[in-house]
Coordinates of all heavy atoms in Angstrom, one line a residue:
N49 N 89.1 82.0 151.5 CA 87.8 81.7 150.9 C 86.7 81.9 152.0 O 86.6 81.3 152.9 CB 87.8 80.3 150.4 CG 86.3 79.8 150.1 OD1 85.4 80.6 149.9 ND2 86.2 78.5 150.1
Y50 N 85.9 82.9 151.7 CA 84.8 83.2 152.7 C 83.5 82.6 152.3 O 82.4 83.0 152.8 CB 84.6 84.8 152.8 CG 85.8 85.4 153.5 CD1 86.8 85.9 152.9 CD2 85.9 85.3 154.9 CE1 88.0 86.4 153.5 CE2 87.0 85.8 155.6 CZ 88.0 86.4 154.9 OH 89.1 86.9 155.6
N51 N 83.5 81.8 151.3 CA 82.3 81.1 150.8 C 81.0 81.8 151.0 O 80.1 81.4 151.7 CB 82.2 79.6 151.3 CG 82.1 79.5 152.8 OD1 81.8 80.5 153.5 ND2 82.5 78.4 153.4
G52 N 80.9 83.0 150.5 CA 79.7 83.8 150.6 C 79.5 84.1 152.1 O 78.4 84.1 152.6
N53 N 80.6 84.3 152.8 CA 80.7 84.5 154.2 C 79.4 85.2 154.8 O 79.2 86.4 154.7 CB 81.9 85.3 154.5 CG 82.0 85.6 156.0 OD1 81.2 85.2 156.8 ND2 83.1 86.3 156.3
S54 N 78.6 84.4 155.5 CA 77.4 84.9 156.1 C 77.6 85.8 157.2 O 76.6 86.4 157.7 CB 76.5 83.7 156.5 OG 77.3 82.8 157.2
L55 N 78.8 85.9 157.7 CA 79.1 86.8 158.9 C 79.2 88.2 158.5 O 79.2 89.1 159.4 CB 80.4 86.4 159.6 CG 80.4 85.1 160.5 CD1 81.8 84.9 161.0 CD2 79.4 85.4 161.6
I56 N 79.2 88.5 157.2 CA 79.4 89.9 156.8 C 78.2 90.7 157.3 O 77.0 90.4 157.0 CB 79.6 90.0 155.3 CG1 80.9 89.4 154.9 CG2 79.5 91.5 154.8 CD1 81.1 89.2 153.4
G57 N 78.5 91.8 158.0 CA 77.4 92.7 158.5 C 77.8 93.0 159.9 O 78.9 92.9 160.4
T58 N 76.8 93.6 160.6 CA 77.0 94.1 162.0 C 76.1 93.2 162.9 O 74.9 93.0 162.6 CB 76.6 95.5 162.1 OG1 77.4 96.3 161.1 CG2 76.8 96.1 163.5
F59 N 76.7 92.8 164.0 CA 75.9 92.0 165.0 C 76.0 92.7 166.3 O 77.0 93.2 166.7 CB 76.6 90.6 165.1 CG 76.4 89.7 163.9 CD1 77.2 89.8 162.8 CD2 75.3 88.8 163.8 CE1 77.0 89.1 161.7 CE2 75.1 88.1 162.6 CZ 76.0 88.2 161.6
L60 N 74.9 92.6 167.0 CA 74.8 93.3 168.3 C 74.7 92.3 169.4 O 73.9 91.3 169.4 CB 73.5 94.1 168.2 CG 73.3 95.2 169.3 CD1 74.4 96.2 169.2 CD2 72.0 95.9 169.0
Y61 N 75.6 92.4 170.4 CA 75.6 91.7 171.6 C 74.9 92.5 172.7 O 75.5 93.5 173.1 CB 77.0 91.3 172.0 CG 77.1 90.5 173.3 CD1 76.4 89.2 173.4 CD2 77.9 90.9 174.3 CE1 76.5 88.5 174.5 CE2 78.0 90.1 175.5 CZ 77.3 88.9 175.6 OH 77.4 88.2 176.7
E62 N 73.7 92.2 173.0 CA 72.9 93.1 173.7 C 73.2 93.3 175.2 O 73.0 94.3 175.8 CB 71.4 92.8 173.6 CG 71.0 93.1 172.1 CD 69.5 92.8 171.8 OE1 68.9 92.1 172.7 OE2 69.0 93.2 170.8
E63 N 73.8 92.2 175.8 CA 74.1 92.2 177.2 C 74.8 93.5 177.6 O 74.6 94.1 178.6 CB 74.9 91.1 177.6 CG 74.4 89.7 177.2 CD 73.9 88.9 178.3 OE1 74.5 88.9 179.4 OE2 72.9 88.2 178.1
N64 N 75.9 93.9 176.8 CA 76.6 95.1 177.1 C 76.7 96.0 176.0 O 77.7 96.8 175.8 CB 77.9 94.8 177.7 CG 78.7 93.9 176.8 OD1 78.2 93.5 175.8 ND2 79.9 93.4 177.3
D65 N 75.7 96.0 175.1 CA 75.6 96.9 174.0 C 76.8 97.0 173.1 O 77.4 98.0 172.8 CB 75.2 98.3 174.5 CG 74.7 99.2 173.4 OD1 74.1 98.7 172.5 OD2 74.8 100.5 173.6
T66 N 77.4 95.8 172.8 CA 78.6 95.7 172.0 C 78.2 95.4 170.6 O 77.4 94.5 170.4 CB 79.5 94.6 172.6 OG1 79.8 95.0 174.0 CG2 80.8 94.6 171.9
K67 N 78.9 96.0 169.7 CA 78.7 95.7 168.3 C 79.9 95.1 167.6 O 81.0 95.6 167.9 CB 78.4 97.0 167.4 CG 77.0 97.4 167.4 CD 76.8 98.7 166.6 CE 75.4 99.2 166.7 NZ 75.2 100.4 165.9
Y68 N 79.7 94.0 166.9 CA 80.8 93.4 166.1 C 80.5 93.7 164.6 O 79.4 93.3 164.2 CB 80.8 91.9 166.3 CG 81.4 91.5 167.6 CD1 80.7 91.5 168.8 CD2 82.8 91.2 167.8 CE1 81.2 91.1 170.0 CE2 83.3 90.8 169.0 CZ 82.5 90.8 170.1 OH 83.1 90.4 171.3
E69 N 81.4 94.2 163.9 CA 81.2 94.4 162.5 C 82.2 93.6 161.7 O 83.4 93.6 162.0 CB 81.4 95.9 162.1 CG 81.1 96.2 160.7 CD 81.3 97.6 160.3 OE1 81.6 98.5 161.2 OE2 81.2 97.9 159.1
F70 N 81.7 92.8 160.8 CA 82.5 91.9 159.9 C 82.4 92.4 158.5 O 81.3 92.5 157.9 CB 82.0 90.5 160.0 CG 82.1 89.9 161.4 CD1 81.0 89.8 162.2 CD2 83.3 89.4 161.8 CE1 81.1 89.3 163.5 CE2 83.4 88.8 163.1 CZ 82.3 88.8 163.9
K71 N 83.6 92.8 158.0 CA 83.6 93.4 156.6 C 84.0 92.2 155.6 O 84.6 91.3 156.0 CB 84.5 94.5 156.4 CG 84.1 95.7 157.3 CD 85.0 96.9 157.2 CE 84.6 98.0 158.2 NZ 85.8 98.8 158.5
E72 N 83.7 92.5 154.3 CA 84.0 91.5 153.3 C 85.5 91.2 153.2 O 85.9 90.1 152.7 CB 83.5 92.0 152.0 CG 82.0 91.7 151.8 CD 81.5 92.2 150.5 OE1 82.0 91.8 149.4 OE2 80.6 93.0 150.5
D73 N 86.4 92.2 153.5 CA 87.8 92.0 153.3 C 88.5 91.3 154.4 O 89.7 91.2 154.5 CB 88.4 93.4 153.0 CG 88.4 94.3 154.2 OD1 87.8 93.9 155.3 OD2 88.9 95.4 154.1
G74 N 87.7 90.7 155.4 CA 88.3 90.0 156.5 C 88.7 90.9 157.6 O 89.5 90.4 158.6
T75 N 88.3 92.2 157.6 CA 88.6 93.0 158.8 C 87.3 93.3 159.5 O 86.2 93.1 158.9 CB 89.3 94.3 158.4 OG1 88.4 95.1 157.6 CG2 90.6 94.1 157.6
G76 N 87.4 93.9 160.7 CA 86.2 94.3 161.3 C 86.5 95.1 162.6 O 87.7 95.4 162.8
S77 N 85.5 95.3 163.4 CA 85.7 96.1 164.6 C 84.7 95.7 165.6 O 83.6 95.3 165.3 CB 85.7 97.6 164.4 OG 84.5 98.0 163.9
M78 N 85.1 95.9 166.9 CA 84.2 95.6 168.0 C 84.0 97.0 168.7 O 85.1 97.6 169.0 CB 84.8 94.6 168.9 CG 84.0 94.4 170.2 SD 84.9 93.3 171.4 CE 85.8 94.5 172.4
S79 N 82.8 97.5 168.8 CA 82.7 98.7 169.5 C 81.6 98.7 170.6 O 80.7 97.9 170.5 CB 82.3 99.8 168.5 OG 81.2 99.4 167.8
S80 N 81.9 99.4 171.6 CA 81.1 99.5 172.8 C 81.2 100.9 173.4 O 82.4 101.2 173.8 CB 81.4 98.4 173.8 OG 80.5 98.5 174.9
G81 N 80.2 101.7 173.5 CA 80.4 103.0 174.0 C 81.4 103.8 173.3 O 81.4 103.8 172.1
D82 N 82.5 104.2 174.0 CA 83.5 105.0 173.4 C 84.6 104.1 172.9 O 85.6 104.6 172.3 CB 84.1 106.0 174.4 CG 83.1 107.0 174.9 OD1 82.1 107.3 174.1 OD2 83.2 107.5 176.0
Y83 N 84.6 102.9 173.1 CA 85.6 102.0 172.7 C 85.5 101.5 171.3 O 84.3 101.2 170.9 CB 85.7 100.7 173.6 CG 86.1 101.1 175.0 CD1 85.1 101.1 176.0 CD2 87.4 101.4 175.4 CE1 85.4 101.5 177.3 CE2 87.7 101.7 176.7 CZ 86.7 101.8 177.6 OH 87.0 102.1 179.0
N84 N 86.5 101.3 170.5 CA 86.4 100.7 169.2 C 87.7 100.0 169.0 O 88.8 100.6 169.0 CB 86.2 101.8 168.2 CG 86.0 101.1 166.8 OD1 85.2 100.2 166.7 ND2 86.6 101.6 165.8
F85 N 87.6 98.6 168.9 CA 88.8 97.8 168.6 C 88.7 97.2 167.3 O 87.8 96.5 167.0 CB 88.9 96.7 169.7 CG 89.1 97.2 171.1 CD1 88.0 97.1 172.0 CD2 90.2 97.9 171.5 CE1 88.1 97.6 173.3 CE2 90.4 98.3 172.8 CZ 89.3 98.2 173.7
E86 N 89.8 97.4 166.5 CA 89.8 96.9 165.1 C 90.4 95.5 165.2 O 91.2 95.2 166.0 CB 90.5 97.7 164.2 CG 89.9 99.1 164.2 CD 90.3 99.9 162.9 OE1 91.3 99.6 162.3 OE2 89.6 100.9 162.6
Y87 N 90.0 94.6 164.2 CA 90.6 93.3 164.2 C 90.5 92.7 162.8 O 89.9 93.3 161.9 CB 89.8 92.3 165.1 CG 88.3 92.3 164.9 CD1 87.8 91.6 163.8 CD2 87.4 92.8 165.8 CE1 86.4 91.5 163.6 CE2 86.0 92.7 165.6 CZ 85.5 92.1 164.6 OH 84.1 92.0 164.3
K88 N 91.3 91.6 162.6 CA 91.2 90.8 161.4 C 90.5 89.6 161.8 O 90.7 89.1 162.9 CB 92.6 90.5 160.9 CG 93.3 91.7 160.3 CD 94.6 91.2 159.6 CE 95.4 92.3 159.0 NZ 96.5 92.8 159.9
Y89 N 89.7 89.0 161.0 CA 89.1 87.8 161.3 C 89.1 86.7 160.2 O 89.4 87.1 159.1 CB 87.6 88.0 161.7 CG 86.7 88.3 160.5 CD1 85.9 87.3 159.9 CD2 86.6 89.6 160.0 CE1 85.1 87.5 158.9 CE2 85.7 89.8 158.9 CZ 85.0 88.8 158.4 OH 84.2 89.1 157.3
K90 N 89.0 85.5 160.6 CA 89.2 84.4 159.7 C 88.0 83.4 160.0 O 87.8 83.1 161.2 CB 90.5 83.8 159.9 CG 91.1 83.1 158.7 CD 92.6 82.8 158.9 CE 93.0 81.9 160.1 NZ 94.4 81.8 160.3
V91 N 87.5 82.9 159.0 CA 86.4 81.8 159.2 C 86.9 80.5 158.6 O 87.4 80.5 157.5 CB 85.1 82.2 158.6 CG1 84.1 81.1 158.6 CG2 84.5 83.5 159.2
D92 N 86.9 79.5 159.4 CA 87.4 78.2 158.9 C 86.3 77.2 159.3 O 86.3 76.8 160.5 CB 88.7 77.8 159.5 CG 89.3 76.6 158.9 OD1 88.7 76.0 158.0 OD2 90.3 76.1 159.4
G93 N 85.5 76.8 158.4 CA 84.4 75.9 158.8 C 83.4 76.6 159.7 O 82.9 77.7 159.4
N94 N 83.3 76.1 160.9 CA 82.4 76.8 161.8 C 83.3 77.4 163.0 O 82.8 77.6 164.1 CB 81.4 75.8 162.5 CG 82.0 74.9 163.5 OD1 83.2 74.5 163.3 ND2 81.3 74.4 164.5
V95 N 84.5 77.7 162.7 CA 85.4 78.4 163.6 C 85.7 79.8 163.2 O 86.1 80.0 162.0 CB 86.7 77.6 163.9 CG1 87.6 78.3 164.8 CG2 86.4 76.2 164.4
L96 N 85.5 80.7 164.1 CA 85.8 82.1 163.9 C 87.0 82.5 164.7 O 87.0 82.3 165.9 CB 84.6 83.0 164.3 CG 84.8 84.4 164.4 CD1 85.1 85.1 163.1 CD2 83.5 85.1 165.0
E97 N 88.0 83.1 164.0 CA 89.2 83.5 164.8 C 89.3 85.0 164.7 O 89.2 85.6 163.6 CB 90.5 83.0 164.2 CG 90.8 81.5 164.5 CD 92.1 81.1 164.0 OE1 93.2 81.7 164.3 OE2 92.1 80.2 163.1
I98 N 89.4 85.7 165.8 CA 89.5 87.2 165.8 C 90.8 87.6 166.3 O 91.3 87.2 167.4 CB 88.4 87.8 166.7 CG1 87.0 87.5 166.1 CG2 88.6 89.3 166.8 CD1 85.8 88.1 166.8
D99 N 91.5 88.4 165.5 CA 92.9 88.8 165.8 C 92.9 90.3 166.0 O 92.8 91.0 165.0 CB 93.8 88.3 164.7 CG 95.3 88.9 164.8 OD1 95.6 89.4 165.9 OD2 96.0 88.8 163.9
F100 N 92.8 90.8 167.2 CA 92.8 92.2 167.5 C 94.1 92.9 167.2 O 95.1 92.3 167.5 CB 92.4 92.5 168.9 CG 91.0 92.2 169.2 CD1 90.6 90.9 169.8 CD2 89.9 93.1 168.9 CE1 89.2 90.7 170.1 CE2 88.6 92.8 169.2 CZ 88.3 91.6 169.7
S101 N 94.0 94.1 166.6 CA 95.2 94.8 166.3 C 96.0 95.3 167.5 O 97.2 95.4 167.5 CB 95.0 96.0 165.3 OG 93.7 96.3 165.2
K102 N 95.3 95.6 168.6 CA 95.9 96.0 169.8 C 96.3 94.8 170.6 O 95.5 93.9 170.8 CB 95.0 96.8 170.6 CG 94.7 98.2 170.1 CD 94.2 99.1 171.2 CE 94.3 100.6 170.8 NZ 92.9 101.1 170.5
D103 N 97.5 94.8 171.2 CA 98.0 93.7 171.9 C 97.3 93.5 173.2 O 97.2 92.4 173.8 CB 99.5 93.8 172.2 CG 100.3 93.6 170.9 OD1 99.7 92.9 170.0 OD2 101.5 94.0 170.8
E104 N 96.8 94.6 173.8 CA 96.2 94.4 175.2 C 94.8 93.7 175.1 O 94.2 93.4 176.1 CB 96.1 95.7 175.9 CG 95.2 96.7 175.3 CD 95.9 97.7 174.3 OE1 97.0 97.3 173.8 OE2 95.4 98.9 174.2
V105 N 94.3 93.6 173.9 CA 93.0 93.0 173.7 C 93.3 91.5 173.3 O 94.0 91.3 172.3 CB 92.1 93.6 172.7 CG1 90.7 93.0 172.7 CG2 92.0 95.2 172.9
H106 N 92.8 90.6 174.0 CA 93.1 89.1 173.7 C 92.5 88.7 172.5 O 91.3 88.9 172.3 CB 92.7 88.3 174.9 CG 93.6 88.3 176.1 ND1 94.8 87.8 176.0 CD2 93.4 88.9 177.3 CE1 95.4 88.0 177.2 NE2 94.6 88.7 178.0
D107 N 93.3 88.0 171.6 CA 92.7 87.4 170.4 C 91.8 86.3 170.9 O 92.0 85.7 171.9 CB 93.8 86.9 169.6 CG 94.8 88.0 169.0 OD1 94.3 89.2 169.1 OD2 95.9 87.7 168.7
A108 N 90.8 85.9 170.1 CA 89.9 84.9 170.5 C 89.5 84.0 169.4 O 89.6 84.3 168.2 CB 88.7 85.7 171.0
K109 N 89.1 82.8 169.8 CA 88.6 81.8 168.9 C 87.3 81.3 169.3 O 87.1 81.0 170.5 CB 89.6 80.7 168.8 CG 89.8 80.0 167.5 CD 90.9 78.9 167.7 CE 92.0 79.1 166.7 NZ 92.9 77.9 166.5
Y110 N 86.3 81.2 168.4 CA 85.0 80.8 168.8 C 84.5 79.8 167.8 O 84.9 79.8 166.6 CB 84.0 81.9 168.7 CG 84.3 83.1 169.6 CD1 85.0 84.2 169.1 CD2 83.8 83.1 170.9 CE1 85.2 85.3 169.9 CE2 84.1 84.2 171.7 CZ 84.8 85.3 171.3 OH 85.0 86.4 172.0
S111 N 83.7 78.8 168.2 CA 82.9 78.1 167.2 C 81.6 78.8 167.1 O 81.2 79.5 168.0 CB 82.7 76.6 167.6 OG 82.1 76.6 168.8
F112 N 81.0 78.9 165.9 CA 79.8 79.6 165.7 C 78.8 78.9 164.9 O 79.0 78.0 164.2 CB 80.1 81.0 165.1 CG 80.4 80.9 163.6 CD1 79.5 81.1 162.6 CD2 81.8 80.7 163.2 CE1 79.7 81.0 161.3 CE2 82.1 80.7 161.8 CZ 81.0 80.8 160.9
E113 N 77.5 79.4 165.2 CA 76.4 78.9 164.4 C 75.6 80.2 164.1 O 75.4 81.0 164.9 CB 75.4 78.1 165.3 CG 75.7 76.7 165.3 CD 74.7 76.0 166.4 OE1 73.5 76.1 166.2 OE2 75.3 75.5 167.4
L114 N 75.1 80.3 162.8 CA 74.4 81.4 162.4 C 73.1 80.9 161.8 O 73.2 80.2 160.8 CB 75.2 82.3 161.4 CG 74.5 83.5 160.9 CD1 74.1 84.5 162.0 CD2 75.4 84.2 159.9
K115 N 72.0 81.3 162.3 CA 70.7 80.9 161.9 C 69.7 82.0 162.0 O 69.5 82.5 163.1 CB 70.3 79.6 162.6 CG 69.2 78.8 161.9 CD 68.8 77.6 162.8 CE 67.6 76.9 162.2 NZ 67.0 76.0 163.1
D116 N 69.0 82.3 160.9 CA 68.0 83.3 160.9 C 68.4 84.6 161.6 O 67.7 85.2 162.4 CB 66.7 82.8 161.7 CG 66.2 81.6 161.0 OD1 66.3 81.4 159.8 OD2 65.6 80.7 161.7
G117 N 69.6 85.0 161.3 CA 70.1 86.3 161.8 C 70.6 86.3 163.3 O 70.9 87.3 163.9
I118 N 70.6 85.1 163.9 CA 71.1 84.9 165.3 C 72.4 84.2 165.2 O 72.5 83.1 164.7 CB 70.1 84.0 166.1 CG1 68.7 84.6 166.1 CG2 70.7 83.9 167.6 CD1 68.5 85.9 166.8
L119 N 73.4 84.9 165.8 CA 74.8 84.3 165.7 C 75.1 83.8 167.1 O 75.0 84.6 168.1 CB 75.8 85.4 165.3 CG 77.3 85.1 165.4 CD1 77.6 84.0 164.5 CD2 78.1 86.3 165.1
K120 N 75.4 82.6 167.2 CA 75.7 82.0 168.5 C 77.2 81.7 168.5 O 77.7 80.9 167.7 CB 75.0 80.7 168.8 CG 75.2 80.2 170.2 CD 74.2 79.1 170.6 CE 74.7 77.7 170.3 NZ 73.7 76.7 170.6
L121 N 78.0 82.3 169.4 CA 79.4 82.1 169.5 C 79.6 81.3 170.8 O 79.1 81.6 171.8 CB 80.2 83.4 169.7 CG 80.1 84.4 168.5 CD1 80.9 85.7 168.9 CD2 80.6 83.8 167.3
T122 N 80.5 80.3 170.6 CA 80.9 79.5 171.8 C 82.4 79.6 171.9 O 83.1 79.3 171.0 CB 80.5 78.0 171.6 OG1 79.1 78.0 171.3 CG2 80.8 77.2 172.9
S123 N 82.8 80.1 173.0 CA 84.3 80.5 173.2 C 85.1 79.2 173.2 O 84.8 78.2 173.9 CB 84.5 81.4 174.4 OG 83.9 80.8 175.5
K124 N 86.3 79.3 172.6 CA 87.3 78.3 172.5 C 88.5 78.8 173.2 O 88.4 79.6 174.2 CB 87.6 77.8 171.1 CG 86.3 77.0 170.5 CD 86.5 76.9 169.0 CE 87.4 75.9 168.5 NZ 86.8 74.5 168.7
E125 N 89.7 78.6 172.7 CA 90.9 79.1 173.4 C 91.0 80.6 173.3 O 90.5 81.2 172.4 CB 92.1 78.4 172.8 CG 92.4 78.7 171.4 CD 92.5 77.5 170.6 OE1 91.6 76.7 170.5 OE2 93.6 77.4 169.9
G126 N 91.7 81.2 174.2 CA 92.0 82.6 174.2 C 90.9 83.4 174.8 O 91.1 84.7 175.0
T127 N 89.8 82.8 175.2 CA 88.8 83.6 175.8 C 88.8 83.3 177.3 O 89.3 82.4 177.8 CB 87.4 83.2 175.2 OG1 87.2 81.8 175.3 CG2 87.3 83.7 173.8
V128 N 88.1 84.2 178.0 CA 88.1 84.2 179.5 C 87.5 82.8 180.0 O 88.1 82.2 180.8 CB 87.3 85.3 180.1 CG1 87.4 85.3 181.6 CG2 87.9 86.7 179.6
S129 N 86.4 82.5 179.5 CA 85.8 81.3 180.0 C 85.4 80.4 178.8 O 84.5 80.7 178.0 CB 84.5 81.7 180.7 OG 83.9 82.7 180.1
I130 N 86.1 79.3 178.7 CA 85.9 78.4 177.5 C 84.5 77.7 177.6 O 84.1 77.3 178.7 CB 87.0 77.3 177.5 CG1 88.3 78.1 177.2 CG2 86.7 76.2 176.6 CD1 89.6 77.2 177.1
G131 N 83.9 77.7 176.5 CA 82.5 77.0 176.5 C 81.4 78.0 176.8 O 80.2 77.6 176.8
E132 N 81.7 79.2 177.1 CA 80.7 80.2 177.3 C 80.0 80.6 176.0 O 80.7 80.7 175.0 CB 81.3 81.5 178.0 CG 80.2 82.4 178.4 CD 80.7 83.5 179.5 OE1 81.6 83.1 180.2 OE2 80.1 84.5 179.5
E133 N 78.8 80.8 176.0 CA 78.0 81.1 174.8 C 77.6 82.6 174.8 O 77.2 83.2 175.8 CB 76.7 80.3 174.7 CG 77.0 78.8 174.4 CD 75.8 78.0 174.1 OE1 74.7 78.6 174.3 OE2 75.9 76.9 173.7
Y134 N 77.7 83.2 173.6 CA 77.2 84.5 173.4 C 76.3 84.6 172.2 O 76.5 83.9 171.2 CB 78.4 85.4 173.0 CG 79.6 85.4 174.0 CD1 80.6 84.4 173.9 CD2 79.6 86.2 175.1 CE1 81.6 84.4 174.9 CE2 80.5 86.2 176.1 CZ 81.6 85.3 175.9 OH 82.6 85.2 176.9
I135 N 75.1 85.2 172.5 CA 74.2 85.3 171.4 C 74.1 86.7 170.8 O 74.0 87.7 171.6 CB 72.8 85.0 172.0 CG1 72.7 83.6 172.6 CG2 71.7 85.1 170.9 CD1 72.9 82.4 171.7
L136 N 74.3 86.9 169.6 CA 74.3 88.2 168.9 C 73.2 88.2 167.8 O 73.0 87.2 167.2 CB 75.7 88.5 168.2 CG 76.9 88.6 169.2 CD1 77.6 87.2 169.4 CD2 77.9 89.6 168.6
K137 N 72.7 89.3 167.7 CA 71.6 89.5 166.7 C 72.1 90.4 165.5 O 72.7 91.4 165.7 CB 70.4 90.1 167.2 CG 69.7 89.2 168.2 CD 68.3 89.8 168.6 CE 67.6 88.9 169.6 NZ 67.2 89.6 170.8
K138 N 71.8 89.9 164.3 CA 72.3 90.7 163.1 C 71.4 91.9 163.0 O 70.2 91.9 163.2 CB 72.1 89.9 161.8 CG 72.7 90.5 160.6 CD 73.0 89.6 159.5 CE 73.9 90.2 158.5 NZ 74.4 89.3 157.5
E139 N 72.1 93.0 162.8 CA 71.4 94.3 162.6 C 71.0 94.4 161.2 O 71.8 94.2 160.3 CB 72.4 95.4 162.9 CG 71.9 96.6 163.7 CD 73.0 97.6 164.0 OE1 73.8 97.8 163.0 OE2 73.0 98.2 165.0
N140 N 69.7 94.7 161.0 CA 69.2 94.8 159.7 C 69.3 96.3 159.3 O 68.7 97.1 160.0 CB 67.7 94.4 159.6 CG 67.6 92.9 159.9 OD1 68.4 92.1 159.5 ND2 66.6 92.5 160.8
K141 N 70.0 96.5 158.2 CA 70.2 97.9 157.8 C 69.1 98.2 156.7 O 68.8 97.4 155.9 CB 71.5 98.1 157.2 CG 72.6 97.8 158.2 CD 73.5 99.0 158.4 CE 74.2 99.1 159.7 NZ 75.6 99.0 159.7

């Protein structure tokens, strides 16, 4: 249940020009420069789980807040630094 999943769309993490795309079917991709990593994602309350299809890319879990097109991710388990915050902006198409 994606309860009108507000994450659907493309978000830009500007620090290193990385794009996260969340599709309605629960899949998405993270791209930066020539890299493109596909994933499946799951939203449970305010927790976002990203499961990358490639094994060498670590799966990640974040708590998130989305307000006025600003997505704030706070890393939980599986990420390099727990508690680190990432601010992404929704791309308006």
Side-chain angles (χ1 to χ4, degrees):
N49 166 21
Y50 288 98
N51 59 22
N53 180 1
S54 46
L55 280 179
I56 292 165
T58 303
F59 291 85
L60 198 55
Y61 178 57
E62 291 179 348
E63 309 250 324
N64 51 6
D65 200 25
T66 302
K67 273 184 189 181
Y68 284 83
E69 186 182 354
F70 297 99
K71 297 181 186 152
E72 278 178 58
D73 63 359
T75 64
S77 61
M78 172 185 95
S79 55
S80 179
D82 297 334
Y83 297 101
N84 187 46
F85 298 108
E86 300 198 344
Y87 54 73
K88 290 190 177 97
Y89 73 95
K90 207 162 61 185
V91 173
D92 184 7
N94 73 331
V95 175
L96 166 66
E97 282 184 61
I98 294 182
D99 174 9
F100 287 99
S101 12
K102 286 202 168 103
D103 286 341
E104 67 265 27
V105 188
H106 284 289
D107 297 340
K109 214 179 238 196
Y110 302 94
S111 57
F112 73 91
E113 269 174 64
L114 179 59
K115 197 178 168 195
D116 302 330
I118 304 290
L119 174 62
K120 184 166 97 180
L121 298 177
T122 307
S123 51
K124 290 164 81 74
E125 64 236 56
T127 52
V128 182
S129 37
I130 292 178
E132 187 161 334
E133 290 189 349
Y134 304 92
I135 303 291
L136 296 90
K137 291 191 181 125
K138 188 158 195 174
E139 221 180 33
N140 297 317
K141 297 239 155 118

